[in-house]
Amino acid sequence: MAMKEVSSNKCCGGFQKVFEHDSVELKCKMKFGIYLPPKAVTEKCPVLYWLSGLTCTEQNFITKAAFHQAAADHGLIVVAPDTSPRGCNIQGEDESWDFGTGAGFYVDATEELWKTNYRMYSYIKDELPSLINANFPVDSGRMSISGHSMGGHGALILALKNPGKYKSVSAFAPICNPMQCPWGKKAFSGYLGSNTTNWEAYDATHIAKSYQGSPLDILIDQGKDDQFLTAGQLLPDNFIAACTERKIPVVFRLQQGYDHSYYFITTFINDHIRHHAKYLNA
């Protein structure tokens, strides 16, 4: 699979790079950011996948989150993909900010217009890791996942649906129960159709209710002054209740005064890197 290096910048002793490739799953060109810590020069390193939120590209996390020093210190490769296919010429793909371009929701679409390209679940689960493992000094047996908002939803469902695949999972302000919130209802009905039974496979709260996999230690940070928390888009209480019922350990931290922005992520990203490093470097 041909890859083209788009940019490379030295950072904290390692390199922050961006690559472009032709995606088989998404039938379009896709970009991803990858941070290679200094350690990657001499040995294979564990990898942390970061999934971004609505309207984001691969750029948001790598330019705003200030994660590089912690990743360098712990010897973690960090991969930050785009959030949706781009430029597929699908009718309506650019009409709204919370559906279509920049809003792939990490599902495999089944509806006619979207099913050919909008396969972000399979892209993140299979295609992207295969590409990364084949081209970079990655220890493929040590992989974790994290994300923000829509990407937090993506991280939670990928970890819960694939027990043992990821060593750890964390999220910032995740959309925890998309079947019950306006963002989720809009995206799921558009990508997956009107039968809500088909939505259940991509709802972390629903999946957690029947989780029987290997132990999973979940870390979630949520800003208390997050406008989307008060608007009922995130619904973390529903997810925590489902996890408590199944005895899935969740550390949920409600952070006083913080909102939904990257200022919030920057503040606590080192805690999340440490959380993953504990499992990835064990």
Side-chain angles (χ1 to χ4, degrees):
M1 212 180 300
M3 281 195 322
K4 186 178 104 183
E5 187 171 289
V6 176
S7 63
S8 178
N9 300 91
K10 190 155 189 178
C11 185
C12 300
F15 284 90
Q16 176 61 60
K17 295 174 180 280
V18 173
F19 286 88
E20 186 177 73
H21 73 106
D22 291 312
S23 168
V24 175
E25 283 288 358
L26 310 178
K27 312 280 190 293
C28 68
K29 284 195 186 310
M30 288 295 283
K31 285 181 184 165
F32 63 86
I34 183 166
Y35 178 66
L36 300 165
K39 205 174 178 182
V41 174
T42 54
E43 59 187 279
K44 289 191 169 186
C45 297
V47 60
L48 172 64
Y49 285 85
W50 171 272
L51 305 183
S52 289
L54 290 164
T55 74
C56 289
T57 68
E58 81 290 340
Q59 287 293 318
N60 293 70
F61 185 68
I62 67 177
T63 55
K64 294 180 181 177
F67 69 91
H68 295 93
Q69 190 62 63
D73 291 345
H74 291 286
L76 304 188
I77 290 174
V78 181
V79 177
D82 203 345
T83 56
S84 79
R86 302 261 164 192
C88 297
N89 299 315
I90 301 167
Q91 185 189 340
E93 70 184 346
D94 295 319
E95 274 173 20
S96 55
W97 66 275
D98 54 359
F99 184 76
T101 303
F105 261 87
Y106 305 102
V107 304
D108 284 350
T110 52
E111 286 297 280
E112 202 51 54
L113 275 181
W114 308 95
K115 67 182 184 184
T116 302
N117 304 98
Y118 276 65
R119 296 181 50 79
M120 284 300 292
Y121 177 79
S122 288
Y123 176 71
I124 300 296
K125 176 177 165 279
D126 299 317
E127 184 180 1
L128 186 59
S130 295
L131 186 71
I132 299 297
N133 295 345
N135 291 281
F136 299 99
V138 166
D139 178 347
S140 59
R142 293 187 291 158
M143 176 164 67
S144 288
I145 194 161
S146 185
H148 170 231
S149 196
M150 175 185 75
H153 141 77
L156 292 175
I157 64 166
L158 276 144
L160 289 164
K161 284 166 72 69
N162 301 282
K165 185 178 178 75
Y166 302 96
K167 298 289 185 195
S168 53
V169 60
S170 77
F172 287 84
I175 302 171
C176 289
N177 195 182
M179 293 179 71
Q180 301 297 333
C181 78
W183 279 340
K185 287 175 182 175
K186 178 176 179 175
F188 284 9
S189 58
Y191 296 135
L192 304 170
S194 55
N195 183 351
T196 55
T197 309
N198 298 332
W199 302 4
E200 293 173 354
Y202 297 106
D203 185 300
T205 298
H206 185 82
I207 300 163
K209 287 176 182 170
S210 57
Y211 183 77
Q212 290 180 313
S214 50
L216 202 55
D217 181 355
I218 303 171
L219 170 63
I220 296 175
D221 270 311
Q222 172 63 61
K224 196 174 180 191
D225 290 9
D226 185 328
Q227 65 274 35
F228 299 116
L229 178 66
T230 45
Q233 294 282 20
L234 307 176
L235 307 173
D237 294 352
N238 298 359
F239 180 67
I240 292 160
C243 288
T244 304
E245 206 174 295
R246 295 300 302 176
K247 297 187 169 52
I248 303 167
V250 181
V251 174
F252 178 78
R253 310 192 306 185
L254 195 59
Q255 304 289 6
Q256 188 75 37
Y258 286 91
D259 58 19
H260 199 72
S261 71
Y262 265 84
Y263 297 111
F264 161 57
I265 294 170
T266 300
T267 307
F268 300 104
I269 192 66
N270 288 0
D271 291 352
H272 286 246
I273 299 281
R274 272 196 299 272
H275 168 77
H276 294 293
K278 181 171 74 178
Y279 293 96
L280 290 170
N281 292 324

